[in-house]
Amino acid sequence: MSTKESLAWRARAGDTEAFAALYEEVYRDLYRMALYTLKNPQDAEDVVSDTVADAFASIRKLRDADAVRAWIFKILSNKCRRKMKEYVHRTEELPEEMAGGSRELAEDLAVRSAFFTLSDTDRLILSLHLFGGYTSQEIGSLLKMNENTVRSRESRALKKLAAMLEE
């Protein structure tokens, strides 16, 4: 049994120190993904905090200790998607320095919107690869998929994003 798997099982049994050790291993990647997705440091911190709180509250539901990292990234992905929906409905005046950059802002919003139309698994694969720096083999191991399947899903997801952005 690997160290991560042992920590996951101990955390699942209620060991807070084991959960803290698991959290320590993924915090940077969680924050990096949230910051890239939301482009707001405070919102990224809030979403990561909410993710960790929810993961801690539901760690007992974890079925596969090997997939703890993918599981927590999936929670984060869902939290980011909810936060992005809030952005769409929120009305605020743009600061003067951003008022001239409305084209870039619109493009950024289009990319984010397209990203969240992908399936949960495809978003997770792209996030793990692009934000977490994981290889196809590592993602396949985390998600219990063949690495070739991971590569093909990633390729299809990127093509789908490109097609949506061309429209």
Side-chain angles (χ1 to χ4, degrees):
M1 181 181 301
S2 71
T3 305
K4 282 184 195 175
E5 191 176 358
S6 172
L7 284 172
W9 286 121
R10 287 180 29 220
R12 189 170 181 244
D15 184 339
T16 56
E17 288 180 20
F19 185 83
L22 287 170
Y23 168 69
E24 194 173 304
E25 288 184 22
V26 296
Y27 171 76
R28 270 201 174 116
D29 293 339
L30 291 172
Y31 180 73
R32 189 178 308 137
M33 178 182 158
L35 183 60
Y36 175 82
T37 304
L38 302 175
K39 302 274 186 182
N40 181 305
Q42 292 81 17
D43 286 347
E45 289 171 7
D46 290 346
V47 167
V48 169
S49 293
D50 289 347
T51 297
V52 172
D54 284 1
F56 183 73
S58 60
I59 189 79
R60 285 181 170 77
K61 296 177 186 174
L62 181 66
R63 288 183 227 137
D64 184 359
D66 281 339
V68 68
R69 190 174 182 94
W71 173 72
I72 200 165
F73 268 92
K74 189 169 187 169
I75 294 170
L76 178 68
S77 177
N78 289 331
K79 298 244 177 236
C80 286
R81 184 178 60 240
R82 282 188 215 111
K83 183 57 85 173
M84 291 296 298
K85 285 181 183 177
E86 287 178 24
Y87 288 171
V88 172
H89 299 302
R90 183 171 55 188
T91 57
E92 288 183 13
E93 273 192 47
L94 290 175
E96 278 185 41
E97 63 272 8
M98 290 184 72
S102 61
R103 180 174 175 222
E104 291 86 11
L105 192 61
E107 288 172 359
D108 188 47
L109 188 57
V111 170
R112 290 180 191 197
S113 295
F115 181 74
F116 285 109
T117 63
L118 298 174
S119 73
D120 288 344
T121 303
D122 289 347
R123 275 196 325 272
L124 187 56
I125 288 170
L126 285 178
S127 296
L128 288 169
H129 181 84
L130 297 173
F131 310 126
Y134 289 92
T135 66
S136 303
Q137 185 177 9
E138 292 169 328
I139 295 169
S141 176
L142 285 170
L143 301 179
K144 305 290 187 225
M145 291 180 163
N146 181 295
E147 66 183 280
N148 293 327
T149 302
V150 170
R151 280 194 293 273
S152 65
R153 286 190 75 148
E154 181 177 9
S155 176
R156 280 195 304 267
L158 289 171
K159 286 177 185 174
K160 184 176 178 182
L161 285 176
M164 285 191 280
L165 294 173
E166 287 177 2
E167 294 175 355

